[in-house]
Amino acid sequence: MAYIEKDNRSITQQLEQWTTISQPPPFTEVEVLRIINDWQQGEQEISTYHKAIAYMNVAYYRLQRNKEDDHIVDLLLKETASVNEQPQVLYELKNIKAYLNFHAELEKLPLAEWAIRETDFDPAKLKKIRELEENIEEFLETSRSIQEKNDGESFQQIGSQIVERLQQLLDMLKESGYAIENKKTGLPVHQLNQQVKEIVEWRIELSTHFPDVFKRDKQQDPLKILDDLIGLKEIKRYIHQYYHYLKYQKERKQLGFHMVDEPGLHMIISGNPGTGKTTIARLLAAIYHELGLLETNHVTEVNRAHLVGSYVGQSEENTINYVRQSIGGVLFVDEAYSLKREGQSGSDYGQAVIDTLVSSMTSKEYADRFAVILAGYPEEMRQFLWANPGLRSRFPEPNHITLPDFKTDELLQIAEKTALSNDYFFTEKALRKLEGLIDQTRVDETFGNARTVRDLVLKAIFQKGAFEQRTSVENWLDHMRIDTKDLEDLNDHSDDQHPMQRLDNLIGLENVKEEVKKLSSFVRMQQQRKQHGMPTVPIQLHAVFSGNPGTGKTTVANIYSRILNECGLLKRGHLVVASRSDLVAGFVGQTAIKTKQKVREALGGVLFIDEAYSLYRGDKDFGKEAIDTLVDEMTKHNENLVVILAGYSREMEQFIASNPGLESRFKKYFLFPDYQAEDLMKITKLHLEDYHYQLDNEAADYLNEQYQSHEIDGNARFAVNLVDEAVQFQAMRIMETQSSSAEIDQLLKKEDFTKAWNAIRGKRT
């Protein structure tokens, strides 16, 4: 990303300075891919020579990732070799590629485990000899092709020496095989074994000729792996200190010192989803093993489903079995807090798992032979440990690690790393768009951090593959580029209809429509001012919807949430409908928990509380706790939550006025008037059309008369219910007068609506 600020001359100057692979290239792999992409898109002009160096920059990183059979590297080397002025690094990269290819083929030879014994029967000796002969002949054929493509002196020298020794071994094998087949004596068993052993040593020697950045480290240092992780600065520092502490205590013990109050190896790792709890647990297992504190670095990963049984005794048995599997390594229990469920009954055997685990950690049979790492969300783990003194005493405070959520720039690094590991890269514009998508999903503590970001990257890769059909390797960069179009609709939760169009399509509610449109225009203008660095007027989004039942409050709230999402003020734009029963509990202390849970569910969207005035029934009612909690949560999540209170007009005015906290936060009022007769008629016809029914003239006249001469309780809801009821009466009328094979009748008559009206109004005849 840094290269964006550099001009064309700066880029070419830095490319020219890279003349040897003993020093890293001037740009990272992603940066140079973006530079090449800019050239191909015509955004910058560059010479063929500088393009060649940039191609070698890409080849360097691909070879560093040990892709010795990489066809893209072959293509890049070929393209660079065809230019008139070839960069110096071309020869070095060709040489290192030959080394890597040659070594990879050499590694395939089964030499390390090959040996024959004097006591072996001749058929067994002959079988081993013939198999190795065949393998060596295949290798020599492949190595000739590798050597022909490379003219590096250092490679030719050591490669020729190994080939020569293998040729000598091949000759010895053929002679030995011939001798066995012809029943001759004096087979050179010792010489054959010695020759194989020397070639194995030469193979090891060959790998030492690789530059450090191209060496394959099969057993990586766990601390180095830790340091290579993105973010986690404080955690890295702590684990480094913890590593040196454990190492120091081990050395003291070897000198004869003893420590009574050792903190032990058991560990608590807490953090939100996707923060790397499992990764850190595996690294700790590797550190314990490296220091000799555990026999292996194996991690046995379990959760509640693995441990808790369905009958008495099964949980204890399951737990002991997994403890035995973990001997010498680590038992990792994910979401450990789920073992102890709030208010669990006697048939929930999670406590039996905890008791068995604690017993195993201290028993003579298993103590100090394995480490336990418990993981879970921070708050849940804290409550879990405080509820279990036996567990808490075995996990001292220094052995608690809390992993932080990743910052946005760290999440973007994870995205780029994920893409690159799959041979993709983001253009600069695509990366900025991805940042917006990440921000949309980052609503509350359930955000999946690295996990969510990886999912977004993989969705983008899928989208690219689903709509792009290209097979030519010549356009290799096209197959790697993730552009803005590949990120379209990854977080799309929109309806088929635009929210403003849905609002316009509503029948009646002209004053509400005008208020919503006015607010939408205001919000959009403030967003534009913010983007241009201009001061913005505070936006009041919380609202009171007052009106009788059936006037469209919930429908408009849903549209309102979508409009705010489209404006960029709400990340999800979903609607959560709640009532008193969803917020108020029957026990002291439980109401705040229920209210917070409902708020958490609504974060990034709209919390719609119907009949909100029912929350307050006096100071001694638990509803007051719900109101106080709601006001507090609205302050805490000010930019991530919109609350709409709904109910009858007079009751809502009294309710808001009764609480200063509510009165100061709800400045926007929407009045939903009752529907007039003509509006109710439109709603009736619209609902009929949705199901392809028709209304005869007599029925239409009847409904018009009824709507005009009666006060309608329920408004639009009454009209919808009336249609549903009339459809049922029509079905009964038809089935009583016609056979079941009769043609389907879509016409509703006056008698159908008369019966429906009387049924709903409670005047059955």
Side-chain angles (χ1 to χ4, degrees):
M1 287 177 277
Y3 79 88
I4 291 295
E5 301 172 0
K6 306 178 191 301
D7 59 23
N8 200 41
R9 180 179 296 179
S10 175
I11 292 173
T12 55
Q13 285 175 345
Q14 290 187 71
L15 287 172
E16 288 171 1
Q17 291 171 5
W18 188 48
T19 58
T20 175
I21 63 173
S22 60
Q23 295 190 1
F27 301 104
T28 66
E29 186 171 3
V30 172
E31 286 173 342
V32 77
L33 286 168
R34 289 193 185 129
I35 290 171
I36 295 170
N37 184 62
D38 286 348
W39 298 336
Q40 290 193 0
Q41 300 296 320
E43 295 180 18
Q44 289 183 351
E45 289 293 328
I46 204 76
S47 70
T48 305
Y49 174 70
H50 292 107
K51 283 184 181 180
I53 301 177
Y55 286 158
M56 291 303 92
N57 199 148
V58 176
Y60 172 93
Y61 286 113
R62 295 186 73 86
L63 287 173
Q64 192 181 34
R65 287 191 272 140
N66 298 315
K67 298 190 177 223
E68 54 270 346
D69 291 327
D70 193 327
H71 297 302
I72 303 301
V73 172
D74 290 334
L75 180 66
L76 294 171
L77 292 172
K78 182 180 178 182
E79 284 194 28
T80 305
S82 65
V83 303
N84 294 329
E85 188 181 359
Q86 297 175 354
Q88 176 61 34
V89 290
L90 170 63
Y91 303 104
E92 294 184 13
L93 286 170
K94 285 177 66 178
N95 200 39
I96 197 64
K97 186 175 191 306
Y99 265 122
L100 292 170
N101 286 350
F102 186 82
H103 188 264
E105 293 299 325
L106 196 59
E107 284 270 279
K108 295 175 185 177
L109 286 177
L111 299 173
E113 64 276 10
W114 193 92
I116 56 176
R117 296 175 296 180
E118 294 281 3
T119 55
D120 285 342
F121 292 111
D122 283 352
K125 290 177 182 175
L126 184 61
K127 182 180 179 182
K128 286 185 177 181
I129 286 170
R130 294 302 185 213
E131 286 176 351
L132 188 56
E133 268 184 52
E134 185 178 345
N135 288 325
I136 291 175
E137 285 175 341
E138 288 179 3
F139 168 78
L140 291 174
E141 183 63 32
T142 304
S143 69
R144 288 190 195 97
S145 174
I146 296 172
Q147 287 178 296
E148 287 170 2
K149 293 178 182 178
N150 185 268
D151 53 6
E153 291 183 10
S154 59
F155 170 75
Q156 291 287 7
Q157 185 178 359
I158 192 167
S160 297
Q161 290 173 339
I162 292 177
V163 167
E164 184 179 336
R165 298 300 293 268
L166 281 168
Q167 186 62 59
Q168 291 174 7
L169 175 59
L170 181 61
D171 293 340
M172 288 180 64
L173 290 169
K174 288 184 176 181
E175 291 175 7
S176 300
Y178 178 80
I180 292 173
E181 288 175 340
N182 290 279
K183 309 296 183 183
K184 293 185 178 181
T185 58
L187 188 69
V189 171
H190 175 71
Q191 291 91 326
L192 283 171
N193 290 335
Q194 185 62 30
Q195 186 84 337
V196 169
K197 185 179 179 182
E198 289 177 5
I199 293 173
V200 170
E201 293 171 356
W202 276 66
R203 183 165 65 184
I204 297 170
E205 171 69 16
L206 175 63
S207 63
T208 64
H209 287 259
F210 301 165
D212 289 341
V213 293
F214 294 105
K215 288 179 180 176
R216 274 184 281 187
D217 192 355
K218 293 181 179 178
Q219 191 65 39
Q220 266 195 299
D221 177 7
L223 289 180
K224 184 180 184 306
I225 297 174
L226 174 71
D227 290 338
D228 288 340
L229 294 177
I230 293 168
L232 305 174
K233 183 178 178 181
E234 293 299 319
I235 302 303
K236 290 174 182 177
R237 185 174 67 178
Y238 169 77
I239 292 181
H240 272 277
Q241 293 172 347
Y242 184 57
Y243 172 85
H244 290 297
Y245 169 78
L246 292 174
K247 189 175 182 181
Y248 169 67
Q249 291 299 338
K250 179 185 175 184
E251 291 170 352
R252 286 183 82 250
K253 192 175 290 186
Q254 290 171 346
L255 292 172
F257 295 100
H258 298 282
M259 190 170 176
V260 177
D261 299 315
E262 283 190 278
L265 304 180
H266 308 305
M267 188 74 67
I268 298 288
I269 303 177
S270 60
N272 288 326
T275 49
K277 297 185 289 293
T278 306
T279 300
I280 296 298
R282 291 168 183 165
L283 287 174
L284 285 172
I287 287 171
Y288 293 159
H289 175 57
E290 183 185 294
L291 293 173
L293 303 174
L294 290 177
E295 295 173 9
T296 73
N297 62 358
H298 178 67
V299 179
T300 303
E301 300 176 20
V302 297
N303 55 34
R304 177 185 168 90
H306 294 94
L307 301 173
V308 178
S310 55
Y311 55 83
V312 175
Q314 188 182 25
S315 297
E316 292 88 339
E317 182 182 345
N318 291 344
T319 306
I320 286 296
N321 286 337
Y322 281 111
V323 166
R324 286 171 180 158
Q325 288 181 34
S326 305
I327 294 300
V330 168
L331 177 61
F332 177 76
V333 185
D334 199 12
E335 297 184 2
Y337 52 82
S338 64
L339 295 174
K340 181 72 173 179
R341 289 175 170 169
E342 185 179 343
Q344 65 184 30
S345 64
S347 60
D348 189 311
Y349 302 110
Q351 185 62 47
V353 172
I354 297 170
D355 296 340
T356 306
L357 193 58
V358 170
S359 175
S360 300
M361 292 164 67
T362 55
S363 69
K364 290 183 179 179
E365 186 177 1
Y366 303 119
D368 301 323
R369 295 183 61 196
F370 76 114
V372 176
I373 297 179
L374 305 181
Y377 302 156
E379 181 60 25
E380 286 84 345
M381 287 301 296
R382 187 186 67 79
Q383 294 178 6
F384 170 63
L385 287 174
W386 277 104
N388 293 273
L391 268 180
R392 189 168 70 248
S393 65
R394 284 155 183 83
F395 293 91
E397 196 65 34
N399 286 27
H400 291 208
I401 295 177
T402 301
L403 303 180
D405 288 335
F406 287 103
K407 299 174 182 176
T408 300
D409 63 322
E410 293 169 345
L411 291 170
L412 290 176
Q413 290 178 52
I414 290 170
E416 291 194 290
K417 190 174 182 180
T418 303
L420 198 59
S421 67
N422 291 284
D423 270 345
Y424 288 91
F425 76 96
F426 287 93
T427 64
E428 188 69 25
K429 290 180 180 178
L431 194 64
R432 295 282 73 82
K433 181 161 187 174
L434 180 69
E435 183 177 0
L437 292 175
I438 291 171
D439 188 56
Q440 287 178 23
T441 59
R442 195 172 193 166
V443 177
D444 53 32
E445 63 271 20
T446 63
F447 172 66
N449 283 282
R451 194 177 305 152
T452 296
V453 169
R454 289 192 187 98
D455 287 344
L456 284 173
V457 173
L458 294 178
K459 284 181 182 178
I461 290 172
F462 174 82
Q463 187 131 312
K464 180 179 178 67
F467 294 100
E468 286 195 21
Q469 302 297 327
R470 293 177 178 170
T471 56
S472 174
V473 74
E474 301 298 324
N475 300 323
W476 60 274
L477 197 67
D478 293 343
H479 295 288
M480 298 183 69
R481 182 193 306 108
I482 296 178
D483 217 331
T484 52
K485 67 179 184 298
D486 302 315
L487 298 173
E488 296 294 339
D489 305 325
L490 291 193
N491 277 352
D492 183 39
H493 305 294
S494 61
D495 301 316
D496 293 337
Q497 247 184 345
H498 190 280
M500 201 60 77
Q501 185 183 347
R502 285 183 60 199
L503 183 68
D504 285 333
N505 289 343
L506 293 179
I507 294 169
L509 303 175
E510 299 306 325
N511 64 314
V512 173
K513 292 176 184 178
E514 184 179 351
E515 283 295 317
V516 172
K517 288 177 181 178
K518 182 175 70 175
L519 182 61
S520 173
S521 300
F522 169 70
V523 167
R524 292 177 193 277
M525 183 56 68
Q526 296 308 308
Q527 290 291 82
Q528 289 180 20
R529 290 175 63 87
K530 183 178 179 181
Q531 290 170 4
H532 287 85
M534 301 172 69
T536 59
V537 178
I539 301 172
Q540 297 287 345
L541 296 177
H542 307 301
V544 175
F545 284 12
S546 57
N548 291 325
T551 49
K553 297 187 292 295
T554 308
T555 301
V556 172
N558 191 16
I559 295 172
Y560 184 66
S561 67
R562 295 296 184 193
I563 290 173
L564 294 178
N565 172 248
E566 191 183 65
C567 293
L569 282 177
L570 288 179
K571 295 179 179 180
R572 290 180 180 169
H574 63 303
L575 180 72
V576 174
V577 179
S579 61
R580 175 185 167 91
S581 62
D582 296 306
L583 305 174
V584 180
F587 305 96
V588 176
Q590 295 299 307
T591 294
I593 294 174
K594 286 189 73 172
T595 304
K596 286 180 180 180
Q597 287 175 341
K598 190 56 67 172
V599 167
R600 179 185 293 185
E601 186 183 336
L603 287 178
V606 170
L607 176 61
F608 180 86
I609 304 176
D610 201 11
E611 296 184 6
Y613 48 79
S614 66
L615 290 175
Y616 186 68
R617 294 175 179 171
D619 290 339
K620 295 183 180 181
D621 181 66
F622 289 128
K624 184 177 184 302
E625 183 183 358
I627 297 170
D628 294 339
T629 304
L630 181 64
V631 170
D632 183 57
E633 291 294 302
M634 287 169 66
T635 304
K636 188 186 299 182
H637 303 289
N638 186 38
E639 297 182 356
N640 203 22
L641 174 71
V642 170
V643 177
I644 294 178
L645 305 181
Y648 295 116
S649 301
R650 187 176 63 183
E651 286 87 342
M652 288 304 300
E653 289 176 7
Q654 294 173 349
F655 171 61
I656 297 295
S658 71
N659 188 295
L662 291 176
E663 199 168 20
S664 65
R665 285 167 177 79
F666 289 90
K667 304 288 182 67
K668 206 71 183 172
Y669 285 75
F670 293 79
L671 177 62
F672 288 73
D674 288 334
Y675 283 103
Q676 299 302 310
E678 58 268 24
D679 290 331
L680 291 172
M681 198 66 200
K682 289 178 184 177
I683 292 169
T684 302
K685 290 180 177 178
L686 184 65
H687 193 54
L688 284 166
E689 289 172 5
D690 286 342
Y691 297 99
H692 300 286
Y693 280 96
Q694 297 170 0
L695 195 64
D696 75 358
N697 293 332
E698 283 191 14
D701 293 340
Y702 170 78
L703 286 175
N704 267 320
E705 182 183 344
Q706 295 297 97
Y707 283 148
Q708 289 174 5
S709 59
H710 293 83
E711 288 187 8
I712 305 301
D713 294 330
N715 288 283
R717 195 174 301 158
F718 176 88
V720 169
N721 291 340
L722 183 67
V723 169
D724 292 343
E725 196 75 19
V727 166
Q728 295 179 46
F729 278 112
Q730 184 238 31
M732 186 169 69
R733 171 174 58 80
I734 292 173
M735 296 306 294
E736 287 175 350
T737 58
Q738 300 179 13
S739 65
S740 59
S741 60
E743 185 177 340
I744 294 176
D745 190 347
Q746 295 177 304
L747 190 66
L748 292 175
K749 297 183 177 181
K750 177 182 176 181
E751 63 180 288
D752 301 322
F753 277 102
T754 301
K755 292 179 180 178
W757 184 279
N758 292 332
I760 293 178
R761 302 279 292 190
K763 297 178 181 178
R764 293 181 181 274
T765 57

